[in-house]
Amino acid sequence: MSEQPEFYYDLATGEVQEGKVAGWTSRMGPYPSAEAARHAMDTVRSRNEEWEEDDAAWKGEPGADPSVEGTTDGSEGGTTGAGGSAQLS
C-alpha cells in the first residue's frame, strides 16, 4: 500500500512543496493536494473572518450575526449556577 503524498505551503517563500521540506515554523499543512496547499492563505483568511464574526456575535457587538448566541450584558462569560461555577451549555 503506497502512502498518499502530502503537500505544504511554505510561509517564507509562498511556494507549495511536496513533503516536509521546510521547517515546521514556516510550514502550513499537510494538504491533500498541491491545489489545496496553493490556497492555504485563502483558507486562513476565510476562517479568520468567520471566527471574527462569531466572536463579535458572541460578545453582542452591533451588526453581529444574531443567530450566534452571546451575552447581552457586556460580560464575557457564560451563566453561573450554584456556587458561582460556570455552566457550559
Side-chain angles (χ1 to χ4, degrees):
M1 182 175 175
S2 66
E3 195 171 310
Q4 294 291 329
E6 293 181 330
F7 297 89
Y8 295 85
Y9 181 81
D10 186 326
L11 293 165
T13 65
E15 296 177 358
V16 172
Q17 300 172 337
E18 185 174 344
K20 296 178 181 177
V21 178
W24 66 271
T25 58
S26 65
R27 183 178 67 220
M28 289 177 54
Y31 294 93
S33 68
E35 187 65 20
R38 208 174 339 276
H39 293 286
M41 295 307 295
D42 295 332
T43 302
V44 167
R45 277 187 216 93
S46 175
R47 288 179 180 166
N48 283 346
E49 288 173 6
E50 184 177 322
W51 291 338
E52 287 173 5
E53 290 169 5
D54 289 350
D55 284 349
W58 183 80
K59 292 177 182 177
E61 293 176 1
D65 183 355
S67 67
V68 178
E69 193 173 314
T71 62
T72 57
D73 64 357
S75 67
E76 291 191 32
T79 61
T80 56
S85 61
Q87 296 176 346
L88 301 175
S89 53

